[in-house]
Amino acid sequence: SSGSVSLFSSADVPASVTTTDNVLYSLGTRFTTTAAGVITSVRFCKATNEPGVGHAAKIYDWTTGNLLSSVSF
């Protein structure tokens, strides 16, 4: 199949996005594709009181652990 595919619907949003612990987190989602493709965007949710600096998205190869791409925002 062709076209845009997402892991989440546009209605999928956190129930509450608040943080006060000032701790760095690294979270992940493992997924497997059935056809070659390109990742064109990453969804990121943050608390309104969280500073707007120092965020990053990283894409790794699950099998080798190699970093394939990263972006800071």
Side-chain angles (χ1 to χ4, degrees), residues 5-26:
V5 177
S6 177
L7 298 175
F8 306 99
S9 78
S10 59
D12 291 330
V13 295
S16 175
V17 182
T18 59
T19 183
T20 56
D21 60 9
N22 295 318
V23 176
L24 297 176
Y25 294 94
S26 179

Side-chain angles (χ1 to χ4, degrees), residues 3-61:
S4 180
V5 177
S6 177
L7 298 175
F8 306 99
S9 78
S10 59
D12 291 330
V13 295
S16 175
V17 182
T18 59
T19 183
T20 56
D21 60 9
N22 295 318
V23 176
L24 297 176
Y25 294 94
S26 179
L27 308 172
T29 300
R30 181 178 178 189
F31 63 95
T32 303
T33 63
T34 56
V38 176
I39 297 172
T40 59
S41 64
V42 176
R43 183 183 293 185
F44 175 75
C45 299
K46 71 178 190 117
T48 56
N49 65 332
E50 186 179 353
V53 297
H55 304 295
K58 297 179 181 181
I59 308 297
Y60 292 92
D61 180 295

